[in-house]
Amino acid sequence: MPVQYLELENFKSYAGKQKIGPFFDFTCVIGPNGSGKSNLMDAISFVLGVQSRDLRSSQMKDLIFRPPGTARDATLSAKATLIYVEPKDGGGSDEDEEPKKKKSRLQAKLAEGTTYMFTRIITTKGTGEYRVNGKSCTFKKYEEALSKIGVLLKARNFLVFQGDVESMARKNPKQLVEMFENISGSAELKDEYEEALKAKEEAEQLTIHAFNKTKEQKSERRVLKEQKEEAERFNDLLEKRTALKTNYFLWLLFHIHSDVQKGEAKHVELLESLEEHQEVVREKEDVLKTAKKDASKARSQTSSKDKLRIKLEAEVDKLQPSVIESTEAIQALKKRVSASEKAVKRIEKEKATHGEKLAELESEIEEYEEKEAELQKEYDDLKQSQNGAGALTEEQEVEYEKIRDAAAVASAGPRRELQSAVRALESARAKAARFTEERKELEGKKEDAERSVAELSDRKKTLEKSLKKTQDDLKSSEDELQTLQKSASDYQTKRADIERQVEQINNTLRQAKDDRRKGKEEERILNTIGALKRHFPGVKGRLVDLCRPSQNRYNLAVTVAGGKDMDAVVVDTKKTAFDCIKYLRDQRIGTATFLPLDSLQIPSPESTERIRANAENDKRYRLAADVIRANDEYRNAVLYAVGNTVVCDTLDVARDICFSRHGPSAGASFDDRIKAVTIKGAVISKAGTMTGGVTKEDSNRAGRFSEQKLDDLRAKKEALETEREEIDSAAGRGSGSHTAQQEDLRNTIGSLRNKESYSKSDLEYTKKKLKEQAALLKSSKKTFANLEKKQAEAEEGVKDASEEAEERRQKVRDVEDEHFAPFREETGIKDLRAYDEAIGKAREDFVKQRTDVREHLAKLTAKKKYEDDKDFEAKLDKAQKKKEKTEEDLAEAIETEEKLSSKVAEVKAKLADAEATLKLAMDAEKEKDEVVRDARKELKEAEGDASKITKSMNNEEGDLAVLRSKLHETLQKARVDEVELPMLDEDDVPSDDDDTDKGSESRSRFSGSLSQSNTQESAFSTHFSQRESNKIRLDRKEASRVDFSNMDEDLKTRRSQAEEEKLQKKFESKISKLNQEIEGIAPNMKAADAFNEITEKVKSGMDEFDTAKETGRNATDKFNKVRKARASKFNTAFKKIDAALKVIYTDMTKSSKHPLGGNAYLSLDDTDEPYLSGMKFNAMPPMKRFRDMEQLSGGEKTVAALSLLFAIHSFRPAPFFIMDEVDAALDNVNVLK
């Protein structure tokens, strides 16, 4: 063996300097426990570079020998030296032959060649030092020197520790691959492989980034080119629209201003008449008030009568349960009387049949007495027939029974002692067996507990470190998230507030184009509805006035969805609707559509809920009915008007819903299709037709807004948008970055919390199990010593109990012989046991049968005596008394029921009187209510007359108000649209006569005050305030300054209303088309400069992309080269070791019974890059089926693991191979192999 000696100094149990050796080609170290075998193994491992943690110690100082009494901090050191001789190649020269002959036998066995000394020292400071041939060196140099002689530290191809064989069989696929990497040397390329892989992936990412960057720049250049062309077209459209709007507003202002000047002198006649009619209305109101007081008194009297009726009804209800209870008690007593009568009849019947039963019993007693005599005769005959066995007379049998009983009594004590001894013997044997079994079981538990304590201690340390790190990371992440959330919350709050304000301003500006005044037709409709409400209480009002959208942004969508039905009048019943239609026809005041709430057909709840569920899942649209707020009373009218129409955010969403194959309307019938309306007013009907744009009428219904603060709102909007852009820029493209960071941190915190929870749970469980296993181990050791002692005592007890039982058995036999000996001499029967066998069975049968007969005879006698003692007279008397008592109870219950029934009838009579009185009071109340209705009707008629006068006055006033409103709105619209009208100088403008305006203002104020005095008319009276009138005069003055000289003469010509409407639509159509074109364009006025700049960027990006591609190719080539070299090393080692394993395992499992041996092999999960996946090690012992390594026995695992170790050694053989108790799990046959 190349290793000749091992020199140790103060290493573990080797005190001082020790020289161990020499070692030969095969050296076996044998000795008892504690003799230092394992320390010798540790010493060799220590010299060859194995870490101290693998040598049953936690630090290097623990390997130093410490004499008894040495202080812990004493400065000690240790040293171990391995003397290795590298054999020469071939034999020596002729001159060396002669000296060899003179060598001793020991020297002849030792190898000759170059000597190496490998030394490892533990200094007094507890640090390590390495030396080769006496020279100090680093661990790396030390490792290289060992590798030169074939010793691989990482692969440990020279060493098999105790337990390594078993651990080799338990290695998982990853651990096997890791071991093969160290053996094959492919692990040396691992760092280079990972660096090359990382470089390859980074190069690929750079290439992709450069490509995407170039792609984006090209796309941006195309967009900028289109924007450049679009900006040029945008300027041309703006010029055309300005010219067209100027002509349009000049035409409108010219004709409106002329109409205002002509219509300001008509109106003052109906004021006195209106005042007289209002006085009549007040008188009628006083009459109605008096009638209501009388009706209230009548209702109070009716209420008191009704309370009395309710009280009497309650009294009847209170008595009713008692009546029912009494009736049920009578029924129960009747049943008990019937049962008592049946009991009396049954007793009388038993009394009549008692004599017959006594005669039957006497006859049966005589029969059994005869049967007993027959049994005695049969037994006597049998005894006479058995003379061969020696028959006994009746007296001898009696005497024999007495002697046998006496013998049994005399031997009872010894027999009990015998039974006790036998039980003691059985108990001792069971106790000894139990102690043996418990000892074996305890040995297994103790070994399991020791192994569990070691594993759980390591696991506890690992979990504590992991938990502390997780908690630190969690706290850091939570602090970071809290800071980020505060920042994001402040940003979101501020931005949301700005968005809300901007949205409100936008809504106001969008709806500012609506008419702020109701036209003449609108005023007429409102007056008509007011009249209907006064005449018919069931009239609720127009649907548009009874509901409103939940948000302002739905105003237009709801108006379009409801269509004409939004102006329909909601009434309670069909009858009310017919009455209203008749009233309108009789009064000739126009037409209206009515929605009776009791007969409207609305969509089915199932279809509505289905669409609502789809909308909640989609989130892009919602039911129109869900965005409308209205009282539950009017909900059916809303559903009738809008049906299952849905409101969509955009037209694209509406198209997707109505036409997509996956939308809610996909595959539905015509009736189940959906009508969709966008927020901007576009409509897609059930038939699939699409309508865009909004009519002026729709805009009027959608809302009305004042224009007084429009300029301030525009300025505020610009300031808010500037502020929003500033905070967006500061936050980094809005809330996107905040959201992404928060989401990442939340995911991280969630993961860390889960990890913390699992770690805590696992740590608690591990601590608990460790405590349990430690306690179990301590208890097992203590119990094991006690069991060994108890087992020895139990075995001694078995021996003593066996001897005691035999002595007791002999004593019983001696006692029985003392009693039976005289009887045998007297009868001449030498063998009483033979007599018992011949006659005993027959006698036992006889005695048994005779006993049965006598027992039954005793039962019959007792039964006859019982029947003789029966007293039927007393029993019958008791039943009669019970029957009479029940009949008395029944009579009392019937009397109680009659009293209750009488009381109930009395209360019911009072209740009938109370109901009659209540009916009279209700009739009186109805008469008073009729008077109230008549008074209310007269009041309504008076109010109707006053309303007619007010309506006439308002109509006259309305014409002038409409003209003034049109003038104001036209000028305001021109300002909003920023149209610059041609204006005259101040000197050229004629002065206005304000007298007409003043008279008009006074009449307007008077009319307004009258309207406010009448609450029912206030909703329909719309007049300008004093400030508004001043605004109108300013508008008229401004209209007078407009220069119409350059206006086309054709436009100045007065046309019919139809022609004017046609011309206005023509203007609006042209302006709308230009607006649509302009609004469809979002020009970038800096597109030209940006286009030139992006062109240069595209050129530089292409150069960057080419450079990145070249870098990626070089990195890929380098990675493939390293990957191929690493895989080649691994696969070479794998193939050689696998081939050697098959041969070695077959040889180790061959026997005379199994000449072919077993089969073992290795398999890779990935042959291209095996080091990235796993490896499987399988073995099939002879004549056994394939099973996993875990399912093999301990010996089979050991043979398989040794085969793999020997195969690995054959690939990278070390000059020596050291094994520590590798045969622990093998039987003798496998040890010899």
Side-chain angles (χ1 to χ4, degrees), residues 628-665:
I628 298 176
R629 293 181 181 174
N631 292 337
D632 293 340
E633 180 183 1
Y634 312 127
R635 177 55 59 182
N636 283 353
V638 173
L639 290 173
Y640 172 83
V642 300
N644 282 339
T645 302
V646 297
V647 178
C648 306
D649 295 335
T650 63
L651 187 58
D652 291 335
V653 174
R655 289 195 192 99
D656 186 57
I657 293 170
C658 295
F659 303 132
S660 173
R661 291 184 300 171
H662 304 291
S665 295

Side-chain angles (χ1 to χ4, degrees), residues 28 37 55 67 70 149 211 283 288 305 413 456 514 562 683 721 732 842 893 967 1014 1031 1105 1117 1139 1177 1200:
C28 184
K37 302 189 300 298
L55 303 178
T70 305
I149 65 173
F211 173 75
E283 292 175 358
L288 177 61
K305 302 296 182 183
L456 291 171
D514 296 342
V683 184
E721 288 178 342
L967 179 63
N1014 189 342
K1031 182 66 176 178
F1105 176 59
D1117 293 341
F1177 174 34

